[in-house]
Amino acid sequence: MRSHTPSLVPAWFIAVLVTVSASVPGWLIQAAHAQEVPFTGVVTQNQTDVRAGAADRYYRVGELDKGQLVHVHEVIVGWYKILPPEGIHSYISKAFVDAKGDGSTGVVNTDRSKAYAADVNGAAGSYRVQAVLNEGDGVQIVAEEGSHYRIVAPPKAYVYLPPGTVRRALAMEIAAMEEPVEPEVIEPEPTPEPEPTSEPAPEPEPAPEPVVVVPVVPVEPEPVVVEAPVVEAPVVEEPVVEVPQPVVEPEAVVVVEPAPEPEVVDSSVEALENMLDDPPAEPVIEFEVKTLAELEAQMESIKELAVEDRPLVELIAQYEAVQAAGGLTQLQAYRVASRLASLRQNYEIVQGLNVIAQAREPVDASRQPVETVSYDAVGRLLASSVYDGKTLPRMYRLADPATGRAVAYIRPGGPVASRHLGRLVGVQGERAYDPALKLKVITVTRIDTLQAVE
């Protein structure tokens, strides 16, 4: 009968295996081990970036330090898909949420409302959809930022940590971080019984007098009714801007239907009632809104032009209209947000170059000196969608051209005319708080067009 003896493994083969195993990165071994999900992990590096997606190209949503526990839901190509830790939030449009009570909670009012991973730089760059909420879903509001609410990340919303930054937590680490430490209970020592003595027993103490119980009728406090003010958006106090005397630009290609100059609104109750019965006419601005494909074609056709020769104001308005119309795919929404950020930055650069160019012009003794005007507020004049003259008095909104946030509210009338709508203007006037509207408004005494719409 033939016998079988095990063959010996060559030493060179064992050396090759040891060399290969030593060259495998530690994070790859850890990632392979982490496929057993979900699990509780520990961050292994300080100042670890948390991103909106599983790649370095996605924007940052926060930062974690070494030793912090995270709940890993999945591992995608080495990236750890985790539940958002405390302090990492989401954004949702105010139009889709009805705030309740003191404003710390809200209820979604529209199906398929999108919540976006909150970029550390603000809502403008937050484009990645984290969750889709439906009508009736509740949200926890952290803060108001322009036209968005910063909210606690909803269920099934995730963020991502880079490969090699998480390891599995030990049982003792989880217990130390999550289980409360119960205080030690110290039992008192037993009191020794007194030894019997031959002394006579003490006399019994007299019985205590009966206590008369007087019934107390509770008094319920009267309820306090707090009337919540109607707020469209927070008004940001801006410093006084020093700009040169405006240069009259050629009239923009904007068709404006003529409307009578509105008078200064009286905030009394009688005036508000009359305004509800017969609201004043609202000026209408007509312009042709282009599609996203047409705008992209226009951007391609002007890329050879200098930045100062491009119709930046028109392009910003057109992309804002496409963004507000909705119906975009995730890639299209990202493209529109990127275009708006680039156009607004170029607009600020052109404004700065104009100021520098004017400052460098040689002084001509024959020319009159340029007057320097100090404006109380500068921005693009728009019609307010809340204070529209229907249920509330008509007001204009002065918006920051770069961010779209409200700088101030403007009373109609005086030098303010319909031709100023949609343009970058500087205003001087009296800034006051209107207790009836609960807003800070400016009664304009002077308004200058700083740049016509192209």
Side-chain angles (χ1 to χ4, degrees):
M1 184 174 182
R2 181 180 298 176
S3 62
H4 296 277
T5 57
S7 60
L8 297 177
V9 178
W12 63 267
F13 184 74
I14 298 176
V16 169
L17 288 180
V18 172
T19 303
V20 171
S21 62
S23 63
V24 176
W27 66 266
L28 185 58
I29 298 175
Q30 177 70 13
H33 180 62
Q35 297 302 324
E36 301 173 2
V37 290
F39 65 90
T40 300
V42 179
V43 179
T44 60
Q45 300 176 11
N46 283 324
Q47 299 179 345
T48 301
D49 289 336
V50 186
R51 297 193 177 272
D56 287 327
R57 67 177 182 272
Y58 292 101
Y59 56 87
R60 296 173 59 250
V61 298
E63 185 179 270
L64 298 179
D65 286 330
K66 182 178 181 180
Q68 186 165 346
L69 288 181
V70 292
H71 298 282
V72 179
H73 181 76
E74 189 178 355
V75 179
I76 303 174
V77 197
W79 286 76
Y80 301 93
K81 181 179 179 181
I82 66 171
L83 293 175
E86 183 178 358
I88 296 179
H89 302 129
S90 304
Y91 281 118
I92 189 170
S93 173
K94 287 184 179 178
F96 302 148
V97 176
D98 296 329
K100 302 296 182 182
D102 59 355
S104 61
T105 59
V107 177
V108 177
N109 57 30
T110 305
D111 284 339
R112 299 193 62 78
S113 300
K114 296 178 180 179
Y116 300 89
D119 188 352
V120 294
N121 296 319
S126 303
Y127 62 84
R128 184 167 176 81
V129 178
Q130 268 191 322
V132 177
L133 305 180
N134 292 319
E135 182 177 0
D137 291 343
V139 295
Q140 184 176 348
I141 300 174
V142 177
E144 297 183 27
E145 297 184 14
S147 60
H148 289 77
Y149 285 125
R150 178 184 284 269
I151 64 172
V152 174
K156 298 184 180 179
Y158 299 97
V159 291
Y160 299 82
L161 288 173
T165 59
V166 176
R167 63 169 174 81
R168 286 180 177 269
L170 302 176
M172 64 180 65
E173 292 175 324
I174 299 174
M177 294 293 291
E178 297 183 353
E179 295 183 0
V181 179
E182 298 182 358
E184 182 181 359
V185 179
I186 302 176
E187 298 182 357
E189 298 181 358
T191 303
E193 297 181 358
E195 298 179 0
T197 60
S198 58
E199 296 180 359
E203 297 180 359
E205 298 181 357
E209 297 181 0
V211 179
V212 179
V213 179
V214 179
V216 179
V217 179
V219 180
E220 297 183 358
E222 296 183 359
V224 179
V225 180
V226 180
E227 181 180 356
V230 178
V231 179
E232 179 181 3
V235 178
V236 181
E237 292 290 343
E238 296 289 344
V240 176
V241 181
E242 298 286 344
V243 299
Q245 178 71 17
V247 179
V248 178
E249 298 286 344
E251 288 296 327
V253 184
V254 177
V255 180
V256 182
E257 293 186 2
E261 292 293 333
E263 299 179 355
V264 177
V265 178
D266 185 4
S267 60
S268 62
V269 177
E270 294 80 1
L272 292 176
E273 292 177 352
N274 295 334
M275 189 171 296
L276 293 176
D277 295 335
D278 187 16
E282 184 74 19
V284 179
I285 301 177
E286 298 181 356
F287 64 92
E288 181 181 357
V289 178
K290 299 181 180 180
T291 64
L292 179 58
E294 292 172 339
L295 288 176
E296 290 297 299
Q298 183 178 1
M299 290 291 294
E300 184 68 21
S301 65
I302 65 171
K303 66 181 183 180
E304 301 298 333
L305 296 177
V307 176
E308 58 270 20
D309 295 333
R310 300 178 185 177
L312 299 176
V313 175
E314 175 190 351
L315 290 171
I316 290 173
Q318 290 284 358
Y319 274 102
E320 286 178 346
V322 171
Q323 188 179 57
L328 302 175
T329 65
Q330 181 178 352
L331 183 59
Q332 289 173 337
Y334 174 68
R335 168 67 67 177
V336 170
S338 300
R339 289 294 194 196
L340 281 173
S342 177
L343 289 169
R344 287 167 180 162
Q345 183 179 16
N346 289 340
Y347 178 83
E348 293 179 356
I349 292 173
V350 171
Q351 292 296 99
L353 291 176
N354 290 338
V355 174
I356 294 173
Q358 292 179 7
R360 289 180 175 177
E361 288 182 357
V363 178
D364 188 354
S366 62
R367 296 171 54 187
Q368 294 183 354
V370 178
E371 177 187 3
T372 300
V373 183
S374 296
Y375 294 112
D376 293 316
V378 174
R380 187 167 53 173
L381 189 67
L382 302 172
S384 173
S385 59
V386 174
Y387 299 93
D388 55 0
K390 297 178 182 178
T391 58
L392 292 171
R394 185 149 60 101
M395 303 286 288
Y396 295 122
R397 187 165 68 95
L398 202 61
D400 187 333
T403 63
R405 298 180 62 183
V407 175
Y409 284 87
I410 305 297
R411 291 187 184 277
V416 181
S418 59
R419 66 177 181 274
H420 297 123
L421 284 173
R423 301 187 179 186
L424 184 68
V425 298
V427 298
Q428 290 181 339
E430 179 182 354
R431 185 189 293 265
Y433 179 77
D434 190 326
L437 301 179
K438 297 181 175 62
L439 285 177
K440 291 182 179 180
V441 296
I442 297 178
T443 302
V444 178
T445 58
R446 172 176 176 172
I447 181 170
D448 296 321
T449 301
L450 302 183
Q451 180 173 346
V453 177
E454 300 181 17

